[in-house]
Amino acid sequence: MNRGFMDRSGVVLPLLLICLLALTALATVAIHAARQEIIIADAATRLLQARLSAEGGIRQAGGVVTSDRLLALRERAPEDVLERATPTMGSVVVRGHRLPADFVLFEGVGSPSGGRGGEVRLGRLVWVLDPHRIVSSFSSTLVHGGSLTLSGGMVDGGEVARAPEDWPTQVCSGHWAALDSIFPPGGMAASTIARPDDPSPTDLGNLDLPHLLALADLVAEGSLTPRPILDAGACLAGDSANWGAPSSPEGSCGPLVRLVISPTSLHLASGEGQGVLVVAGNLDLTDGMRLSGIVLVGGNLRLAGESRIDGLVRVGGDVRIEGGSEVSGSGCAALRALESPVFQRSFPVSDGSWVGGF
Amino acid sequence: MRGVTLVELLVATLLVFLIAGSMATIVSTQNRASLWVRDESEGMETVRTVRVVLGAELRHGLEGRDWWATGGDTVTVRAFRGMAEVCSLGAEPTEFVVLYRGIRQPNPDKDSVLVLSQEGRWETRGLERIEMQEGGCPGVHEESQKWTLDRAVGRAVFVRIFERGSYHLADGAFRYRSGLGGRQPLTPQHIDDARSHLGASEGGVDVVVELERRSDARWRPDPVPDHWRIWPAERP
C-alpha cells in the first residue's frame, strides 16, 4: 500500500536528536575537563600540603628534639622523634636516623589533611655535639700549633679525669664514668704539638668560627674583667659581664656556663668565668684571671700574673705561661662547659642540609 | 489527493533553516566553550607542572652547587634521585657499603654522587660500579650495595645520588633534558617563550610563565602571566 507524503515520518526529530546528542557530548567533554582540572588542582594542593608538612615537621624537630635524645638513637634503628597533625595543614611524622660521627638524618613523612593523597618524604641532615667526643678529640691538656714557653708557669696534664682542686667531688660525680672511659689510666699528656689531622684550633667539632659566632651567648673584644654578678644572692645571668663562677661551683652562679666568642683579640684581667671561650686572634690572661672549661685560640695565648685555666686548651700559635700561671687539665671542667643550652640542640649541615628525591 | 501548497513548503523550509541555524549556532558555541575549557585546563596544568617540578627540584638545593640558572630560560640541576646511609668502608678507599633508598635504582652510566664526610663537607665523585651484597649492613635485613667511586673519599657518612639535567622554557613547552639527551616536553605546547623567564634571585629562582595567545580565539581574555619565586629552604 502506498503511503502519502504527509503519512511519512519526518526527519526533524532524528535531526534534533542528533544535534542534542552532539551538544550533550560537547557539554560532557567540557564538564569532564573542568572536573579533571579541579581534581588535579586539588591533588597539587594536597601535594604542597604534604611537602610543607614534612618541611615544617623537620624544622620543628630541629628546634625541640634535644641532643641527648638524638645521641641516644642507634645506627640503622630509626625512631619516631616527632609527630604533629593539624586539621587544615596535614600531618607529619619525623624519624631520626642515627648516622656515623654524630650525624642524624631527620626524615619527615608529610601527609595532606584528611589523609587523602600521597605522602611526601623529605630529609634534613644535622650534626649533634657529643660532649664526650669533643673532650676525647684533645690529645693533651694543651694542644698548640707554635712554640710553648714556660717562664715560671706550668702545664699540668696528669689525672685529667678530675675536678679542679677547689671543687667539691660531687660537682663532677656525674662525669666520672665517662671520663674514665675517655682518658687512659694515668691521665694524658700535658701538652702536645698540633698534628695535621687535629681540628682547626677554633673549631668545636663540626662548628666552625662563623657558626659559633652565630650561636654565641656573648661576643667579647678588647680588655674585660668578667666576674659573677649577684643581686640579693641570685645570679644575674642576663648581665654580659657575668661569665659564671668557677671559684664557687655550688653557688648561685656555679651552673652558669657561657659560649663566648671573640672575633679579634681579647685581654681578660683579674676576673673569672667558665664555659667555652673561642678567640680568633690572641688571648691574654693576666692579674689572676681564672677560666674554667674549653679555651680555643686561633692566635697566641699568654698567661701571666698567676692566671689559671682549668680544662682543655687548643691554640693555633705560640703559648707563653709565666709568673706563676698554670694550665691544669680537667675533663670535668670541659664537660661542664659543654652543658651550655646552646649545645643541647642539633645543627644543620652548613653546606646544604636538605635531602630530597627519595 | 491531498497535497502541499507552495506556501506550506516555504514555511516548512523557513522553519527548517531557522531550526538548523539555531542548532548550528548552539553546537558551534558549545564547541568553542569546550575548546576553551580544554585550553584553559591545559594552560593551568602547564603552569602547575612548572611550579610543582621546579619547586621540588630547586627549593631544597643550593644555588651554585645544586643548580644554576642560565640564559633566562634554563636551569641546570643536579637532579637528586636517591640517598644512601654508609654502613661500612670497603677494602679500597674508593669503596663503601651502603643502604640505598631512592625513586629509582642508581645507574653508574649517568649518576654521580655527593658524599658527606665526617667533617661535614660534601664532595662530588663519579659512580663507577655497583654490586648487590647480602648482609653488607649488620643488623639490617634489607639488601645492601657496594659502591665503587672514581676517586677516593674521606670517611663517608652519607651519600646522595644525582643525575645531571636541565629544565627549559623552550619551543612552547616546559622541557627536561637528562644529561646530553634531547629536551623532552613535560607540558603541552602553550607557553609563550618570548615572554616567559627563569632567573636566579636571592638564592631562589624567579619564574615567569606566560601562556601564548590563541589567534583563533578573539573573544577570550588575554592570558595573564604567572610570576612567582621559589624561595630556598636554606639561605646561603
Side-chain angles (χ1 to χ4, degrees), chain A residues 71 101-102 127-140 143 179 182-183 188 199 203-207 212 276 293-296 312-314 331 334-335 337-338 343 347:
Chain A
L71 289 169
D102 302 330
W127 179 78
V128 187
L129 186 147
D130 180 353
H132 300 135
R133 197 184 290 266
I134 295 292
V135 169
S136 64
S137 71
F138 284 82
S139 53
S140 65
V143 182
L179 289 170
I182 292 171
F183 296 108
M188 66 198 300
D203 284 1
L204 190 67
N206 284 350
L207 301 176
L212 289 167
V276 176
I294 294 177
V295 178
L296 307 171
L312 298 169
V313 181
R314 184 177 289 133
L335 286 177
L338 296 171
F343 300 126
F347 305 99

Side-chain angles (χ1 to χ4, degrees), chain B residues 198-225:
Chain B
L198 281 174
S201 172
E202 296 180 50
V205 181
D206 264 341
V207 187
V208 180
V209 173
E210 185 160 339
L211 300 175
E212 64 187 3
R213 194 173 175 176
R214 292 299 175 105
S215 57
D216 60 341
R218 287 165 306 186
W219 54 284
R220 297 182 200 177
D222 285 344
V224 178

Side-chain angles (χ1 to χ4, degrees), chain A:
Chain A
M1 178 180 176
N2 289 333
R3 296 178 62 186
F5 179 77
M6 292 304 286
D7 292 334
R8 291 181 189 162
S9 31
V11 292
V12 174
L13 193 60
L15 194 70
L16 209 63
L17 285 174
I18 289 167
C19 288
L20 278 174
L21 206 61
L23 278 175
T24 307
L26 285 169
T28 305
V29 167
I31 290 168
H32 180 72
R35 189 167 168 273
Q36 283 298 107
E37 173 57 33
I38 290 168
I39 291 170
I40 294 169
D42 186 51
T45 305
R46 288 174 173 279
L47 185 71
L48 187 62
Q49 269 186 353
R51 182 174 297 144
L52 291 178
S53 293
E55 188 177 317
I58 289 171
R59 286 185 192 279
Q60 189 179 3
V64 302
V65 182
T66 63
S67 57
D68 289 345
R69 172 86 174 88
L70 296 173
L71 289 169
L73 297 171
R74 289 176 295 117
E75 284 186 32
R76 293 184 288 285
E79 290 178 25
D80 292 354
V81 293
L82 182 86
E83 274 189 60
R84 193 196 67 188
T86 55
T88 53
M89 283 304 292
S91 60
V92 62
V93 175
V94 180
R95 290 193 192 105
H97 298 253
R98 179 76 187 267
L99 303 173
D102 302 330
F103 286 92
V104 171
L105 173 70
F106 284 130
E107 180 188 2
V109 184
S111 307
S113 59
R116 289 186 294 123
E119 295 176 340
V120 170
R121 288 172 191 273
L122 193 63
R124 193 173 206 193
L125 286 160
V126 297
W127 179 78
V128 187
L129 186 147
D130 180 353
H132 300 135
R133 197 184 290 266
I134 295 292
V135 169
S136 64
S137 71
F138 284 82
S139 53
S140 65
T141 295
L142 171 62
V143 182
H144 52 97
S147 64
L148 171 62
T149 306
L150 298 174
S151 175
M154 66 178 291
V155 182
D156 177 8
E159 297 300 326
V160 77
R162 71 181 177 193
E165 287 167 4
D166 55 346
W167 284 13
T169 315
Q170 61 267 25
V171 174
C172 293
S173 57
H175 299 309
W176 293 137
L179 289 170
D180 280 345
S181 67
I182 292 171
F183 296 108
M188 66 198 300
S191 64
T192 50
I193 299 279
R195 297 173 306 208
D197 60 341
D198 271 348
S200 163
T202 53
D203 284 1
L204 190 67
N206 284 350
L207 301 176
D208 58 12
L209 190 63
H211 212 140
L212 289 167
L213 192 58
L215 296 172
D217 292 319
L218 301 170
V219 176
E221 285 179 289
S223 189
L224 300 172
T225 301
R227 63 198 182 284
I229 296 171
L230 297 95
D231 182 21
C235 184
L236 293 180
D239 194 314
S240 63
N242 185 355
W243 293 16
S247 62
S248 175
E250 293 187 303
S252 59
C253 282
L256 179 64
V257 288
R258 296 288 201 193
L259 169 60
V260 183
I261 310 294
S262 175
T264 55
S265 291
L266 187 63
H267 173 215
L268 301 175
S270 65
E272 63 177 308
Q274 60 186 354
V276 176
L277 172 63
V278 186
V279 180
N282 301 327
L283 174 63
D284 267 13
L285 305 181
T286 61
D287 307 307
M289 178 68 205
R290 177 176 183 179
L291 285 178
S292 167
I294 294 177
V295 178
L296 307 171
V297 182
N300 302 325
L301 170 67
R302 186 176 77 97
L303 281 81
E306 297 187 340
S307 295
R308 175 184 182 88
I309 297 175
D310 292 300
L312 298 169
V313 181
R314 184 177 289 133
V315 181
D318 301 332
V319 179
R320 186 174 182 84
I321 304 173
E322 57 192 33
S325 298
E326 180 178 355
V327 173
S328 178
S330 170
C332 170
L335 286 177
R336 268 173 59 95
L338 296 171
E339 288 172 356
S340 167
V342 298
F343 300 126
Q344 310 301 312
R345 43 164 289 206
S346 54
F347 305 99
V349 170
S350 56
D351 190 20
S353 61
W354 290 97
V355 179
F358 66 94

